[in-house]
Amino acid sequence: MATVGSATSETPFFSMGEGTFKIPMTLYAENRRRLVENMKKNGHSGVILLKGGEQTTRHDTDHEDIFRQESYFHWAFGTVEADCFAALDVDTGKSTLFIPRLPEAYSIWMGTIHPPARFLKRYAVDACQFVDEIPTVMAADYKGKTIHVLYGRNSDSGNFAEPASFKGIEEFQVDRDSLFPIIANLRVFKTEAELEVMRYVSEVTSAAHVAVMRQVQVGWNEYQMEALFKFHTYNYGGCRHEAYTCICACGPSGATLHYGHAGAPNDRPIKDGQIGLLDMGAEYSCYCSDITCSYPVNGRFTQDQKDIYQGVLDAVIAVETAMKPGVSWHDMHHLALKTVTEALIKTGVLVGDAEEIIKSQLAAKFMPSGLGHLIGLDTHDVGGYLKGFPERSTLDGFKSLRTARDLEENMVLTVEPGIYFIESQVNMLLAGSEFDKYINKERLEQFRYFGGVRIEDVVLVKSDGIENFTQTPRGIDEIESVMSGGQWPPAEDKYPQ
Amino acid sequence: MATVGSATSETPFFSMGEGTFKIPMTLYAENRRRLVENMKKNGHSGVILLKGGEQTTRHDTDHEDIFRQESYFHWAFGTVEADCFAALDVDTGKSTLFIPRLPEAYSIWMGTIHPPARFLKRYAVDACQFVDEIPTVMAADYKGKTIHVLYGRNSDSGNFAEPASFKGIEEFQVDRDSLFPIIANLRVFKTEAELEVMRYVSEVTSAAHVAVMRQVQVGWNEYQMEALFKFHTYNYGGCRHEAYTCICACGPSGATLHYGHAGAPNDRPIKDGQIGLLDMGAEYSCYCSDITCSYPVNGRFTQDQKDIYQGVLDAVIAVETAMKPGVSWHDMHHLALKTVTEALIKTGVLVGDAEEIIKSQLAAKFMPSGLGHLIGLDTHDVGGYLKGFPERSTLDGFKSLRTARDLEENMVLTVEPGIYFIESQVNMLLAGSEFDKYINKERLEQFRYFGGVRIEDVVLVKSDGIENFTQTPRGIDEIESVMSGGQWPPAEDKYPQ
Ligand SMILES: [Mn+2]
Ligand SMILES: [Mn+2]
């Protein structure tokens, strides 16, 4: 699958083996260099101490979930192993990885116990020691200096990063505040090396979507699409984790924006005439993709499906055509909302003026989600609402935006407008509401069990526009062609990006 | 896939949809009945309060892992939703499920908000209220009575069950000690309804193993076997979760007993001449399977592979032939160890008397794992070392047994002997050790990169022997036949069980 650039054979790299993408360890070295540079630029010195993710077990049992590295730690060190720490000297740039000291029994149950020298080479760091040596190292090198630890609020979850600690840290000057906004903001801007990984994982994701699109059959259960998608991304792309829970929503399920969770586990039968909303993204070495395809499960759009789908696609095209550095993401959301509102007017569900309908907050009933989000090492990536950048809106829909920043070069975002006929919202509108004058109830009633349409691309902001990492059929004719066995990718791409 | 019995259409049931097994809610009612009966028999009264599993997010992000119910809670209530509690009146048997009160926004993002009445019917409980009503319900019904909560040590993890709590619980008599040993011991003995689910999940698992066995190719990466296995169990069996991390170990990887974790993620290329050790089990509605198949990746055994494999298979057959109520699991481990030791003597790696080699603890270097474990709602199921039952051995190998109990009817256990050439152990033996007189170093050297062979069945202890839930090719001839396209299951089964 690795059609994009890869590490050369001499650089230490991560990969899942032959045929999968090679990530050079220089990717992480560059991130560390950027971090040190920015810490210095902001007047900081001393040392950064990061805590890697811990291996967890489920409830009180010995069931171990497959470990996935904490994202900030991965960004700086790329370590796949659990229970590590790492130090980065702000003044010299020296990187030290701290690995757990493993008991002898590890060699029987978990594999060969490798010495620090091997980790040093594998991760191309300057030093490698054991976690239990942190107090000694810190006392020897950083007495009287500042230890910067990671502490700050994730604006999507409301949770706080867990700062690194060690026995005796209270004897040092500890700065919990400076590191977080700097590293979070650096993560917003992807390096060329990171972009290569992100192209790869979206390429793998796109191919898996096309496979599902080609094979889905009326009569399957929704989760069979999830099974097939996961198989493709893992088998052909080496992606062991998905970036998020697969949403395989057919017909009415599509109106539930985060369908697929344990309480609604993609377990409905797929019925003839339904439109499917498939929101699935793979993860490769913690880098995420997040792509949504919507298409009729039987391969042929009805006129209503065409109307709704085309409205959403028009919103995607409008936004992606307008995106470039300096553009406000808030404005892009407005543009998308206007385009889908116009489609709802055209198909007869809404009546009146699009801008007026947006202003009334009615449009947000059909598109309550934000237009898109930053994406990287987390699907909903960090840096969306840092201090000094525009704050979260209070308007319906707009307030769901995970960032309100102006676009800048090397941001990667999703563009994911949608039209949803959500049961609770449709019931409210049909029962009669402040929005009565904008609603054609008879027409709305016809969409009661329609579900929803979302189209989601992963795009990179470049100096003069965007690059689209998504490679799936988007046009109605393209989709119908691919679903009836047509060639993909096409001989000639008729659509922009 | 559901060839075994299923819920009738009138009983409320869980299933993943058409073609998957229907679990009647009477399964959980029966478990509750057994629990109440045993609590009373032990002189207890009052109420049992259980805490369900919580929805978790990863690190500081909003990434939600797919929720999987806490096993004790599932055993008693079968609830798929997170963040529930439940009460069970010891005197009357009345069951009350407490569900979280969901915010209005849930209906947009997560799906329709269902009223308690729907949960009451779905889970066939006597009452359903909101979690925030627990204090009121407890105060009204159990003032001055005892609240039994779950607290005790899991003997596999060393972790403790988290007891339920609520605001004001300190005003009640709380008993943290009585419930745990009773419920853990009840989980050891499977009901007919539970056995039906366990047959199903092992049937699904067996079929997926056969699919992998037929399709594996030299040149794949190991994880492609994992990808294929997961696809089969999910697509054909509705199994969204695996029971544990897939171990896809080919060649030397097979000597790492818990290969497949994030530090050794099934990422090696599969090479001609290697023997594969595939330990993979699906989970359906929290009930686990755990099956290991070992076979040459190119479909043909070498003589060395035959010798080792047949030794392990002989151990499986010896044990499964001897298993019945009253038999000591410790004795079964000894029997397996003796059988594999004899195979190692026969193939020339070891020299001397099998019993003497076992006594020296040398045999355990080649089979450091326990013979098998209880299995049910956890892969390593609870109840292995409860008070009043035989304690853990201190001898190598024997001490890895997850239970030392005598067998009883309706226990379900794995039988999983193995022979492993573990790098650290082989190095130690070749370097010269107290075991020199038992070792043919030249012969051992030939097995340095062999890896390991494990064969693992899931079996039920019946009144007169066992029932084997595993349905995979086990004989060398059967495996070679299936791997070259032969029929499976065979027209006639030549092997016992
Ligand atoms: Mn998204
Ligand atoms: Mn096992």
Side-chain angles (χ1 to χ4, degrees):
Chain A
M1 295 292 297
T3 59
V4 284
S6 234
T8 67
S9 57
E10 283 120 69
T11 336
F13 63 85
F14 166 89
S15 94
M16 281 294 284
E18 199 54 39
T20 64
F21 190 76
K22 293 180 178 174
I23 301 181
M25 287 301 141
T26 47
L27 183 156
Y28 306 102
E30 188 183 354
N31 283 343
R32 292 193 297 270
R33 188 194 54 70
R34 294 165 71 209
L35 178 55
V36 164
E37 182 184 297
N38 272 269
M39 288 292 284
K40 277 188 190 162
K41 204 189 291 175
N42 283 274
H44 301 295
S45 64
V47 66
I48 292 164
L49 187 66
L50 291 174
K51 179 182 194 302
E54 293 171 12
Q55 175 66 58
T56 54
T57 47
R58 193 176 61 207
H59 305 124
D60 61 331
T61 75
D62 68 347
H63 178 100
E64 293 193 346
D65 307 307
I66 299 179
F67 175 71
R68 194 270 195 195
Q69 189 55 275
E70 193 278 327
S71 297
Y72 286 103
F73 198 85
H74 184 93
W75 180 86
F77 286 89
T79 319
V80 303
E81 290 84 3
D83 305 316
C84 295
F85 284 74
L88 184 58
D89 189 303
V90 177
D91 307 310
T92 67
K94 182 187 175 188
S95 56
T96 307
L97 180 64
F98 295 98
I99 59 171
R101 198 186 293 271
L102 301 169
E104 190 53 37
Y106 185 96
S107 73
I108 293 168
W109 303 96
M110 306 298 274
T112 307
I113 298 178
H114 297 295
R118 184 167 150 136
F119 289 85
L120 184 100
K121 200 174 159 198
R122 178 172 189 187
Y123 294 114
V125 287
D126 299 316
C128 182
Q129 297 195 243
F130 291 108
V131 168
D132 56 28
E133 296 175 305
I134 293 176
T136 325
V137 170
M138 289 290 141
D141 297 350
Y142 300 104
K143 207 80 198 176
K145 296 188 182 171
T146 303
I147 301 179
H148 299 277
V149 295
L150 192 67
Y151 181 73
R153 186 176 172 280
N154 181 300
S155 53
D156 292 309
S157 66
N159 297 330
F160 285 76
E162 191 194 339
S165 191
F166 59 88
K167 208 175 170 220
I169 194 174
E170 60 283 355
E171 288 169 35
F172 293 81
Q173 290 174 30
V174 178
D175 177 354
R176 305 208 313 175
D177 302 320
S178 304
L179 179 59
F180 184 86
I182 289 174
I183 193 169
N185 195 50
L186 283 170
R187 278 182 56 188
V188 171
F189 303 97
K190 274 64 181 178
T191 65
E192 276 310 315
E194 289 181 301
L195 291 173
E196 289 286 89
V197 190
M198 294 194 72
R199 281 187 189 97
Y200 172 76
V201 71
S202 278
E203 181 183 319
V204 168
T205 298
S206 297
H209 266 289
V210 172
V212 174
M213 194 179 289
R214 284 194 196 279
Q215 292 178 54
V216 62
Q217 296 289 336
V218 168
W220 281 16
N221 295 314
E222 292 166 333
Y223 66 76
Q224 294 181 267
M225 302 171 88
E226 177 179 352
L228 193 55
F229 178 82
K230 286 178 165 175
F231 172 70
H232 266 261
T233 53
Y234 199 8
N235 189 61
Y236 300 112
C239 299
R240 194 176 207 188
H241 297 274
E242 303 310 312
Y244 52 92
T245 303
C246 291
I247 299 172
C248 302
C250 297
S253 311
T256 298
L257 277 78
H258 292 170
Y259 189 73
H261 60 90
N266 299 326
D267 62 346
R268 291 180 180 162
I270 300 175
K271 292 185 181 156
D272 197 21
Q274 290 180 332
I275 194 155
L277 184 165
L278 289 307
D279 186 347
M280 308 188 283
E283 180 181 292
Y284 187 77
S285 191
C286 300
Y287 283 91
C288 300
S289 183
D290 181 359
I291 290 174
T292 307
C293 296
S294 295
Y295 47 86
V297 293
N298 66 11
R300 288 280 152 201
F301 283 85
T302 64
Q303 189 55 50
D304 278 352
Q305 288 169 348
K306 280 185 184 173
D307 289 353
I308 299 300
Y309 184 88
Q310 192 61 48
V312 177
L313 183 59
D314 288 345
V316 171
I317 293 170
V319 167
E320 293 181 0
T321 305
M323 284 175 74
K324 63 178 179 187
V327 163
S328 144
W329 195 233
H330 197 276
D331 289 351
M332 290 297 98
H333 182 83
H334 189 103
L335 174 59
L337 201 56
K338 187 171 176 189
T339 312
V340 301
T341 303
E342 279 163 354
L344 285 166
I345 294 167
K346 196 171 158 205
T347 197
V349 171
L350 297 183
V351 181
D353 173 69
E355 287 294 358
E356 204 182 305
I357 291 171
I358 291 173
K359 203 170 174 197
S360 77
Q361 299 205 51
L362 168 59
K365 304 287 177 200
F366 297 92
M367 184 178 136
S369 54
L371 171 63
H373 47 84
L374 295 162
I375 180 168
L377 287 170
D378 292 311
T379 304
H380 299 150
D381 213 20
V382 297
Y385 287 105
L386 295 174
K387 222 174 145 182
F389 292 100
E391 288 178 14
R392 197 182 282 273
S393 168
T394 54
L395 295 171
D396 281 356
F398 291 90
K399 73 182 174 194
S400 297
L401 282 171
R402 296 177 184 278
T403 186
R405 290 171 73 146
D406 291 345
L407 298 182
E408 295 181 64
E409 204 175 339
N410 294 328
M411 284 181 171
V412 180
L413 300 106
T414 65
V415 176
E416 49 173 316
I419 296 178
Y420 310 93
F421 297 92
I422 301 166
E423 192 183 4
S424 61
Q425 311 297 293
V426 171
N427 286 342
M428 182 271 290
L429 294 173
L430 288 177
S433 70
E434 54 180 309
F435 304 111
D436 273 2
K437 63 173 171 176
Y438 301 123
I439 304 281
N440 177 342
K441 291 189 185 176
E442 203 177 320
R443 188 74 179 117
L444 177 57
E445 179 68 47
Q446 292 167 356
F447 285 94
R448 184 186 264 281
Y449 303 110
F450 183 93
V453 163
R454 174 161 67 247
I455 300 173
E456 182 173 22
D457 284 348
V458 179
V459 303
L460 162 67
V461 180
K462 303 185 73 163
S463 62
D464 55 349
I466 61 144
E467 176 186 338
N468 194 344
F469 290 174
T470 319
Q471 301 166 19
T472 58
R474 288 306 192 201
I476 288 173
D477 51 346
E478 284 180 341
I479 290 172
E480 291 191 341
S481 160
V482 166
M483 291 186 78
S484 59
Q487 189 186 337
W488 188 261
E492 192 191 347
D493 194 346
K494 290 190 296 177
Y495 291 84
Q497 321 104 32
Chain B
M1 294 295 293
T3 59
V4 283
S6 232
T8 64
S9 58
E10 283 118 69
T11 337
F13 63 85
F14 166 89
S15 96
M16 280 295 283
E18 200 53 38
T20 64
F21 191 74
K22 292 179 179 174
I23 301 181
M25 286 300 141
T26 48
L27 183 155
Y28 307 102
E30 189 184 353
N31 283 342
R32 292 194 298 269
R33 188 194 55 69
R34 295 165 70 209
L35 178 54
V36 164
E37 182 184 296
N38 272 269
M39 288 292 284
K40 277 185 187 163
K41 204 190 290 174
N42 283 275
H44 300 295
S45 65
V47 66
I48 292 163
L49 186 67
L50 292 174
K51 179 182 194 300
E54 292 170 13
Q55 175 67 58
T56 54
T57 47
R58 194 174 61 206
H59 306 124
D60 62 330
T61 74
D62 68 347
H63 178 101
E64 293 194 344
D65 307 307
I66 299 179
F67 175 70
R68 194 271 195 194
Q69 189 55 275
E70 193 278 327
S71 297
Y72 286 103
F73 199 85
H74 183 92
W75 181 86
F77 287 89
T79 320
V80 304
E81 290 84 2
D83 304 318
C84 295
F85 284 72
L88 184 58
D89 190 302
V90 177
D91 306 309
T92 66
K94 183 187 175 188
S95 56
T96 306
L97 181 64
F98 296 98
I99 59 171
R101 198 186 293 271
L102 301 169
E104 190 51 37
Y106 185 96
S107 73
I108 293 168
W109 304 96
M110 307 298 273
T112 306
I113 298 178
H114 297 295
R118 184 169 152 137
F119 289 86
L120 184 100
K121 200 176 160 195
R122 177 172 189 186
Y123 294 115
V125 287
D126 299 316
C128 182
Q129 298 194 241
F130 291 108
V131 168
D132 56 28
E133 295 175 307
I134 293 177
T136 324
V137 170
M138 290 288 142
D141 297 351
Y142 300 104
K143 206 81 198 175
K145 298 187 181 171
T146 303
I147 301 178
H148 300 276
V149 296
L150 191 69
Y151 181 73
R153 186 175 171 281
N154 181 298
S155 53
D156 292 308
S157 66
N159 297 331
F160 286 76
E162 191 195 340
S165 190
F166 59 90
K167 206 173 172 221
I169 194 173
E170 60 284 353
E171 288 168 34
F172 294 81
Q173 290 173 33
V174 177
D175 177 355
R176 304 209 314 175
D177 301 320
S178 305
L179 178 60
F180 184 85
I182 290 174
I183 194 170
N185 195 49
L186 283 171
R187 278 181 57 187
V188 172
F189 303 97
K190 273 65 180 178
T191 64
E192 276 309 315
E194 288 181 302
L195 291 173
E196 289 287 89
V197 190
M198 294 193 71
R199 281 187 189 97
Y200 172 76
V201 70
S202 278
E203 182 184 319
V204 168
T205 298
S206 297
H209 267 289
V210 172
V212 174
M213 193 179 288
R214 286 193 195 280
Q215 292 178 56
V216 63
Q217 296 288 337
V218 168
W220 280 17
N221 295 315
E222 293 166 332
Y223 65 76
Q224 294 180 269
M225 301 171 89
E226 177 181 352
L228 194 54
F229 179 82
K230 286 178 165 175
F231 171 69
H232 267 260
T233 53
Y234 198 9
N235 189 59
Y236 299 112
C239 299
R240 195 179 206 186
H241 296 275
E242 303 310 312
Y244 51 92
T245 302
C246 291
I247 300 173
C248 302
C250 297
S253 311
T256 299
L257 277 79
H258 292 169
Y259 189 73
H261 59 90
N266 300 325
D267 62 345
R268 291 180 179 163
I270 300 174
K271 292 185 181 157
D272 198 19
Q274 290 180 333
I275 194 156
L277 184 165
L278 290 304
D279 187 348
M280 308 189 281
E283 180 180 292
Y284 187 77
S285 191
C286 301
Y287 283 91
C288 300
S289 184
D290 181 0
I291 291 175
T292 309
C293 297
S294 293
Y295 47 86
V297 294
N298 64 13
R300 289 279 152 200
F301 283 86
T302 64
Q303 189 56 51
D304 279 351
Q305 287 169 348
K306 279 185 183 172
D307 290 353
I308 299 300
Y309 183 89
Q310 191 61 48
V312 178
L313 183 59
D314 288 345
V316 171
I317 293 170
V319 167
E320 292 181 0
T321 304
M323 283 175 76
K324 62 178 179 188
V327 163
S328 144
W329 195 233
H330 197 277
D331 289 351
M332 291 297 97
H333 182 83
H334 188 103
L335 175 59
L337 202 56
K338 187 171 175 190
T339 312
V340 302
T341 304
E342 279 163 355
L344 285 167
I345 292 167
K346 196 171 159 205
T347 198
V349 171
L350 297 183
V351 182
D353 173 69
E355 287 293 359
E356 204 182 305
I357 290 171
I358 290 172
K359 203 169 172 198
S360 76
Q361 299 204 53
L362 169 58
K365 305 285 177 202
F366 297 94
M367 182 177 135
S369 54
L371 171 62
H373 48 84
L374 295 162
I375 180 167
L377 287 170
D378 292 312
T379 303
H380 299 152
D381 214 19
V382 297
Y385 286 106
L386 295 175
K387 222 174 145 181
F389 292 100
E391 287 179 14
R392 198 183 279 272
S393 167
T394 54
L395 295 169
D396 281 356
F398 291 91
K399 73 183 175 195
S400 296
L401 282 172
R402 296 178 184 277
T403 186
R405 290 172 73 146
D406 292 345
L407 298 183
E408 294 181 66
E409 205 175 338
N410 293 329
M411 283 180 169
V412 180
L413 299 106
T414 65
V415 176
E416 49 172 315
I419 295 178
Y420 310 93
F421 297 94
I422 301 165
E423 191 182 5
S424 61
Q425 311 296 294
V426 170
N427 286 343
M428 181 271 289
L429 294 173
L430 288 176
S433 70
E434 53 180 312
F435 304 110
D436 272 3
K437 64 173 170 176
Y438 301 123
I439 304 280
N440 177 340
K441 291 190 185 175
E442 203 176 319
R443 188 73 179 115
L444 177 57
E445 180 68 47
Q446 292 167 358
F447 285 92
R448 185 185 264 281
Y449 303 110
F450 182 93
V453 164
R454 173 162 67 249
I455 300 174
E456 181 173 23
D457 283 347
V458 179
V459 303
L460 162 67
V461 181
K462 303 185 72 163
S463 62
D464 55 350
I466 60 143
E467 176 186 338
N468 194 344
F469 290 174
T470 320
Q471 301 166 20
T472 58
R474 288 305 192 203
I476 288 173
D477 50 347
E478 283 179 342
I479 290 172
E480 291 191 340
S481 160
V482 166
M483 291 186 77
S484 59
Q487 189 185 336
W488 189 260
E492 192 191 347
D493 194 346
K494 290 191 295 178
Y495 290 84
Q497 325 102 33

